[in-house]
Amino acid sequence: MLTIHPQYITDSKGKKISAVLAMKDFKAIMEELEELEDIKLFDEAKKSNEPSIPIDDAFKMIEAKREAK
């Protein structure tokens, strides 16, 4: 579980209007979001039932297209 320690900026009435994070906390949140996005994309790809190919074959195809140019 990710534990962060935000500091808050408040308005004149004490209402929280912004949060300030340490860079390490911000970077950790960004890494978690990127991982969640990858999981979401993977789940969507699995649902599509489109044919897939092994990653090594995909890289070979990409390299072949680059060399053909």
Side-chain angles (χ1 to χ4, degrees):
M1 176 82 179
L2 182 63
T3 302
I4 60 171
H5 303 283
Q7 295 177 327
Y8 299 101
I9 298 173
T10 59
D11 64 13
S12 60
K13 295 179 183 178
K15 180 181 175 186
K16 294 177 184 175
I17 58 172
S18 297
V20 178
L21 300 174
M23 282 306 296
K24 69 178 182 91
D25 291 343
F26 176 76
K27 288 178 181 179
I29 290 170
M30 295 306 294
E31 288 175 9
E32 290 288 326
L33 286 173
E34 289 173 9
E35 187 171 337
L36 288 172
E37 180 66 19
D38 291 344
I39 292 168
K40 179 182 168 188
L41 292 171
F42 176 79
D43 289 344
E44 288 174 7
K46 293 284 278 185
K47 285 181 186 177
S48 72
N49 291 324
E50 291 184 22
S52 61
I53 60 172
I55 191 72
D56 290 334
D57 293 345
F59 286 142
K60 288 176 187 174
M61 292 169 58
I62 292 167
E63 273 304 309
K65 286 183 180 181
R66 285 183 182 162
E67 291 173 1
K69 288 185 178 182

